[in-house]
Amino acid sequence: MGSALAEIGIGLIGGGYMGKAHAVAMASVGAVFDTALRPRLQVIAASNPSSAERYRKAYGFAKAADDWRSLVADTNVDAIVIASPQTTHLAIAEAAFAAGKHVFCEKPLGASLEDAEAMVAAAEAAGLTNMIGFNYVRTPATQFVRQLLADGAIGDVTWFRGEHTEDFLADPAIPANWRTTGRSNGTMGDLSPHMINCALALLGPIESLSAQIETVHPTRPGPDGPATVDNDDQAQMLVRFANGVSGHLYFSRIATGRKMGYAYEIHGTKGAIRFDQEDQNAVWLYRTEGPDATRGFTKILTGPAHPDYLPFCQGPGHGTGYQDQIIIEARDFLHAVATGTPVWPTFRDGLAVSRVVETAFASAASGGWLSVPQS
Amino acid sequence: MGSALAEIGIGLIGGGYMGKAHAVAMASVGAVFDTALRPRLQVIAASNPSSAERYRKAYGFAKAADDWRSLVADTNVDAIVIASPQTTHLAIAEAAFAAGKHVFCEKPLGASLEDAEAMVAAAEAAGLTNMIGFNYVRTPATQFVRQLLADGAIGDVTWFRGEHTEDFLADPAIPANWRTTGRSNGTMGDLSPHMINCALALLGPIESLSAQIETVHPTRPGPDGPATVDNDDQAQMLVRFANGVSGHLYFSRIATGRKMGYAYEIHGTKGAIRFDQEDQNAVWLYRTEGPDATRGFTKILTGPAHPDYLPFCQGPGHGTGYQDQIIIEARDFLHAVATGTPVWPTFRDGLAVSRVVETAFASAASGGWLSVPQS
Amino acid sequence: MGSALAEIGIGLIGGGYMGKAHAVAMASVGAVFDTALRPRLQVIAASNPSSAERYRKAYGFAKAADDWRSLVADTNVDAIVIASPQTTHLAIAEAAFAAGKHVFCEKPLGASLEDAEAMVAAAEAAGLTNMIGFNYVRTPATQFVRQLLADGAIGDVTWFRGEHTEDFLADPAIPANWRTTGRSNGTMGDLSPHMINCALALLGPIESLSAQIETVHPTRPGPDGPATVDNDDQAQMLVRFANGVSGHLYFSRIATGRKMGYAYEIHGTKGAIRFDQEDQNAVWLYRTEGPDATRGFTKILTGPAHPDYLPFCQGPGHGTGYQDQIIIEARDFLHAVATGTPVWPTFRDGLAVSRVVETAFASAASGGWLSVPQS
Amino acid sequence: MGSALAEIGIGLIGGGYMGKAHAVAMASVGAVFDTALRPRLQVIAASNPSSAERYRKAYGFAKAADDWRSLVADTNVDAIVIASPQTTHLAIAEAAFAAGKHVFCEKPLGASLEDAEAMVAAAEAAGLTNMIGFNYVRTPATQFVRQLLADGAIGDVTWFRGEHTEDFLADPAIPANWRTTGRSNGTMGDLSPHMINCALALLGPIESLSAQIETVHPTRPGPDGPATVDNDDQAQMLVRFANGVSGHLYFSRIATGRKMGYAYEIHGTKGAIRFDQEDQNAVWLYRTEGPDATRGFTKILTGPAHPDYLPFCQGPGHGTGYQDQIIIEARDFLHAVATGTPVWPTFRDGLAVSRVVETAFASAASGGWLSVPQS
């Protein structure tokens, strides 16, 4: 390469769905954003040699590894992206920080609250860049909503309703599988963190909550007859944010018809906002301005006037997509490494999400309101 | 009149917004539905002689009365429509039944649970037609949704979310007024009954709930400085229906941007339904039929294929409106009187709504789940 | 009746779909709008005694007639509503004006341009109230759009696109019927006038046009094999308005999926408007105001801030429907009679529509642009 | 690199908006689609050394060139992407084919019909891969629509309406610039080709048309007072496809409120389709199946069941964006080079678009219908 740009060696652990998304992001983020640090796709690790080599070829990495430890130990690797199962997050992160590597970790932070706390401790002890992957808050639309709220565009917020609903297990005839066992694979454990993080990003800390968590289909077909489902299909909670605003959160993996129902609505004294990830290039904004006759929700198409849109397309209405969110994340991670400044959301921000999840389980068990521990 | 049709003398108490709607409905229901009983606009009562006479002329009644008691006593009045304030409902209904008149009463049934119980007792002791005015469930759209659920079009229901949200008090600078004082005038007391009735109509009884009720703007400008608001601006509850389905209800009078946010969504194992009164001529239906590539929510425009649409317009997409709901109510009330059969929702159905409201207040005070008394 | 209000005896010719709509409107317009003149449902005429009597009972008229001539001659009839087939319009109108009666005539004015011209001549010679029934322009939404344009809310108009599309003959297996024969029953003859009138109302006269008119399904099943369809299924035209603006009009009775596709969009130098009758309670307005980041189409729900909404419902979002448009027409007709002032659209306004239709047929035959005769 | 994959050296001419999009696409297409040929970013050419070097660094090319001729001559360049102004397309393409390079050229094919014809001749004489860049037809949504039509999902097509509307020159106060001079920079020349190509892709050849082309704002502010605009602001045409279907096409750069109004609707005897690029992840499909009561337009969110979606995201509703269309184009181009098979749309397909444009200008001048030359 004729470039004098500083490179950064990337190690990617996990080559599945999220792994691929990060590989593509690292391959293109330099061109999209003209970043100071340019990723060099150094090592990809997977659970066995053949899949590791397959990923290496497909995604263009220099080396393949069938053991994440060798990836962590590789001296050409400067930063690590963890896109492997939740249960592996803690061990990898601890080893990575011990080896002096910066770490980007897919959500949720760990498979349990204890794991998450240990990961924060390791990250903060090391003083290295640590970031958790909540990609949906990085759409131009939701970034714009954060600006609107910060600017007081809808006055004082009085209500927040958020949901993350999909329907991949809506049909009770779908057999039991890895998703239907283990608390961390249930709706609260696996699906809720994205929207909880969004709620925290937009409204601030949740002070207390009252939750209901349920397994609507307690058995599913198994290889030897009905198999027990031991985690939750849907969950909801009344919440009170620290700023006094009340709200509602709802999560479901059996919400028939919903494909990416990451959606929220916010009421304020001077306006309101609605967003739905299924139409991620639009923000609906209502403001109490002008005569009644011309008031209504305005459908704003994202465009160059909104955050992080212009690098992807020149005109409004052209639209960004899922992969672009991951590229924006990569840009932010690289910037944090290059400048040594923290990047939101850090592991500690991810821990705050885990604490809401944990409190929800406790509340559902007790049937009443509980305070959410803050840190 | 050359008609040999049986007439029914109507007495209407209250000439304001709802009173007018019922006057128009009684004037046109015969032509729209070719009803067996034809309303004769006999007496209208209002709180003073001049407004009573004004209403009489405007709406075409034969007589005006400034005292509802004289209306009830009028021998030419066969049936009474109560469209006066909640606090008057009980006394009027008791007098009307005692005088052998059929009664249609605007929602909510009474100003308190006790009033509601007394009204049911009076109605059932008299054995006369008694009906409560929850007009929104009578749109062709929501009637069609009831059919869809009854037919199992979306399989087994797994979730219900309902709201009734408006924004008439969203601006905290709106001065204190009659709406901001008295529990029965608050959001739970006055706004919630329509959607609670809808939830009961669509899903059946609510078994238990956990509610949060709040006054977001505790003071508003008054004639002598800040005046205390003593009722609620918004409320929400987690609910469990008797059929085991869980759900969420939300009510607000400060939901900026919402004008008639009477909306619900229902998930089932084989489909889903969405409806919003702000677009009352459309039902959104998702069904798990056909290949994935052609699945999605179908926007069904109401038309002659749906209940009670054809009498208003010949073709789909022409659209019915608010006033038409009241005409459908009048048709059902007249039919009940003519045939001597009960008509849903009776006073007892209205009482069930009041019990949910009452339980919500108790739950919000205690902070936990409570059972809803059934009758 | 105890009222001292002036009454007006109404004679209605035709008891079918539109006849019923006008009967209902005349029964309720007084209560809805508190009109100065109160309609008295005097005579209804239909083509045979039994249907006339059936309509009389159903709609509440005093008398039935099986001959429109006796209705016209009835001295208790002051004003006549023509809701019978197009081919009868001319004879009825001429007789009515000769008898000194005011006339409301359903669209289109007559079955041919010559009929329309003769009706205008008769109306203007008589000096009596004459009005043509283009109900769709009377929704609160479209009335509001007229105001917006008049107020310059979107700057100078640069484009108009209008359509009236339905799908009642979309299936080529639908047998030939009265609609598939006779030029006046085709798409241009029967369906186009509503939207042409709307275009004229919103943009002013059409100066010239270039049209294409086609019979997509030239035969349909008949009693004895394929039957020839001799009128048009769909039509379109490029138009130039007298104000210099260009546009496009499209009409179809085979537009699968369209139920009441009376829709238009208007571009201006400072904004744009979109409307679709299938969602008749919303106007979409874009304005080039404020920063780019908050621009978009605003979905305005009709409400009390818009023309002729409040008499039907107190709050925005409650919604008006098809029948309400007919009531608004009745109000305007009665007002014109009461005050002796002309009411838009007069027969002459209806003639302007007929001239556009006629010019379109000539243009489609010649294949080029033609000027539209003005009057 | 440890990969044994075949590489292909890419030369990119033009580093602006479209150049960047192609650079990003070439950087990531290998990872997204696991292509047989892997692009090597070899040379980027721009009009001067400093911008060329800037682009090289930003996009990660090995070399920079300030003369496209040296890029064409570079022996490490196997394929060339032309993303420079229209007026340069012919000369570059001829030189590239002469040098044995495969060529991808941005739309429109050339600055004139003659240029386009010469480019086709050069491409076909060389027998090398030639492809024109109409990216919008490559969304999963529009690819799916092509499948639906091919499968007869909506029966026989009876109508097509297409538009490409934007508003970048809607404000008449925008000064004259390069876009407002030169026929090839006007609305027909620059904006219409995308949708004309879409119409041809979906319905087949256009046989004849009748067009209207106009400059709505004939002058705009210039450096020395009003400057003449010598190309068109908007254009429309009635069209007849070779298969007998009629339709309408409309193009505008002054369509206030429209950002990426690349939209079409198609009627068929058994269904209808609607699409709008501003919501590129949804297809609206109506089918005449099932009872009337459940018919309506279904909003289908793109997902893994649709063409070329899964490589970008695992679940439906996650959404693809503008950049992804360019990556799909790159995949198709690389595949054509690797296999030696033609790829739609070839230069000849681009020529068909240019002929429609040319015929439209002639028709607008003559005022009548003209046949479109086919090849």
Side-chain angles (χ1 to χ4, degrees), chain A residues 158-159 161 163 165 167 170-172 210-214 216-217 234-240 244-248 250 252 254-259 265-272 274 276 278 286-288 295 297 367-369, chain B residues 158-159 161 163 165 167 170-172 210-214 216-217 234-240 244-248 250 252 254-259 265-272 274 276 278 286-288 295 297 367-369:
Chain A
T158 56
W159 171 256
R161 188 179 77 77
E163 68 177 75
T165 47
D167 68 357
D171 183 351
S210 177
Q212 181 194 34
I213 301 178
E214 62 176 336
V216 173
H217 304 302
Q234 67 181 357
Q236 62 171 331
M237 53 178 108
L238 311 176
V239 300
R240 175 75 70 184
V245 176
S246 61
H248 181 252
Y250 172 55
S252 177
I254 60 164
T256 305
R258 276 303 232 168
K259 306 306 174 186
E265 77 179 28
I266 311 170
H267 302 158
T269 50
K270 296 185 177 176
R274 289 184 191 168
D276 190 329
E278 290 183 354
Y286 183 100
R287 288 203 287 185
T288 56
R295 289 187 187 174
F297 276 91
W369 287 81
Chain B
T158 57
W159 171 256
R161 189 179 76 78
E163 68 177 76
T165 47
D167 68 356
D171 184 350
S210 177
Q212 181 195 35
I213 301 178
E214 63 177 335
V216 174
H217 303 300
Q234 68 182 356
Q236 64 172 328
M237 52 179 109
L238 311 177
V239 300
R240 174 76 69 183
V245 176
S246 62
H248 181 251
Y250 172 56
S252 177
I254 60 165
T256 305
R258 276 304 232 168
K259 306 307 175 185
E265 78 179 26
I266 310 170
H267 302 159
T269 50
K270 296 185 177 175
R274 290 183 189 168
D276 190 329
E278 291 183 354
Y286 183 99
R287 289 204 287 185
T288 56
R295 288 187 188 175
F297 276 91
W369 286 81

Side-chain angles (χ1 to χ4, degrees), chain B residues 279-299:
Chain B
D279 188 13
Q280 71 186 277
N281 287 294
V283 170
W284 293 78
L285 175 65
Y286 183 99
R287 289 204 287 185
T288 56
E289 289 181 350
D292 280 357
T294 55
R295 288 187 188 175
F297 276 91
T298 298
K299 183 180 183 179

Side-chain angles (χ1 to χ4, degrees), chain D:
Chain D
M1 301 283 279
S3 169
L5 285 167
E7 285 191 356
I8 177 170
I10 302 293
L12 171 61
I13 301 172
Y17 174 50
M18 287 311 305
K20 178 180 174 182
H22 288 291
V24 173
M26 289 297 176
S28 52
V29 62
V32 172
F33 281 108
D34 198 11
T35 53
L37 281 175
R38 293 306 173 103
R40 188 184 61 245
L41 304 189
Q42 192 64 34
V43 188
I44 186 162
S47 50
N48 64 64
S50 69
S51 62
E53 175 57 18
R54 182 163 48 86
Y55 292 145
R56 189 198 64 72
K57 285 179 60 177
Y59 307 153
F61 278 79
K63 291 191 193 171
D66 63 348
D67 175 7
W68 61 260
R69 288 170 209 279
S70 67
L71 180 150
V72 169
D74 193 308
T75 54
N76 287 318
V77 167
D78 304 306
I80 290 174
V81 175
I82 306 176
S84 49
Q86 295 176 31
T87 48
T88 66
H89 289 187
L90 173 59
I92 296 171
E94 287 182 333
F97 289 128
K101 320 284 183 173
H102 305 286
V103 178
F104 177 100
C105 182
E106 262 308 311
K107 69 91 214 172
L109 197 52
S112 68
L113 185 63
E114 293 68 32
D115 282 13
E117 287 170 337
M119 289 175 74
V120 171
E124 298 187 350
L128 293 160
T129 296
N130 57 98
M131 183 178 180
I132 179 161
F134 290 121
N135 54 289
Y136 297 113
V137 286
R138 273 177 159 75
T139 51
T142 291
Q143 288 194 59
F144 175 55
V145 170
R146 290 187 80 179
Q147 283 186 353
L148 287 172
L149 293 176
D151 295 347
I154 63 166
D156 296 326
V157 173
T158 56
W159 171 256
F160 179 88
R161 190 178 77 76
E163 68 177 76
H164 190 144
T165 48
E166 304 196 23
D167 69 357
F168 53 83
L169 283 173
D171 184 350
I174 295 173
N177 59 39
W178 68 270
R179 288 183 177 281
T180 60
T181 188
R183 206 180 81 169
S184 64
N185 293 321
T187 295
M188 275 306 299
D190 189 55
L191 212 59
S192 78
H194 274 300
M195 180 45 65
I196 292 173
N197 177 64
C198 179
L200 300 181
L202 298 179
L203 273 279
I206 292 175
E207 183 183 88
S208 57
L209 58 82
S210 177
Q212 182 194 34
I213 301 178
E214 62 176 336
T215 305
V216 173
H217 303 302
T219 64
R220 288 179 178 272
D224 311 305
T228 299
V229 173
D230 67 12
N231 57 23
D232 51 309
D233 287 321
Q234 67 181 358
Q236 63 172 331
M237 53 179 108
L238 312 176
V239 300
R240 173 76 69 184
F241 291 91
N243 62 8
V245 176
S246 62
H248 181 251
L249 298 176
Y250 172 56
F251 312 104
S252 177
R253 64 187 184 188
I254 60 165
T256 305
R258 276 303 231 168
K259 306 306 176 186
M260 181 36 68
Y262 174 96
Y264 52 83
E265 77 179 28
I266 310 171
H267 302 158
T269 50
K270 296 186 177 176
I273 292 167
R274 289 184 191 169
F275 174 77
D276 190 329
Q277 188 73 17
E278 290 183 355
D279 189 11
Q280 71 186 277
N281 288 294
V283 171
W284 293 78
L285 175 65
Y286 183 99
R287 287 203 290 184
T288 55
E289 289 180 350
D292 280 357
T294 55
R295 290 187 187 174
F297 276 91
T298 298
K299 183 180 183 179
I300 302 167
L301 293 176
T302 55
H306 303 114
D308 287 339
Y309 180 95
L310 189 55
F312 294 99
C313 25
Q314 190 176 38
H318 288 57
T320 59
Y322 176 80
Q323 180 64 53
D324 301 333
Q325 300 156 25
I326 315 297
I327 295 172
I328 295 171
E329 277 189 334
R331 188 271 320 264
D332 291 341
F333 179 64
L334 295 177
H335 181 76
V337 170
T339 61
T341 53
V343 57
W344 179 88
T346 61
F347 278 17
R348 183 164 287 278
D349 297 310
L351 174 59
V353 172
S354 299
R355 284 188 171 143
V356 173
V357 172
E358 193 70 18
T359 306
F361 276 111
S363 165
S366 72
W369 286 81
L370 290 180
S371 294
V372 179
Q374 309 294 324
S375 48

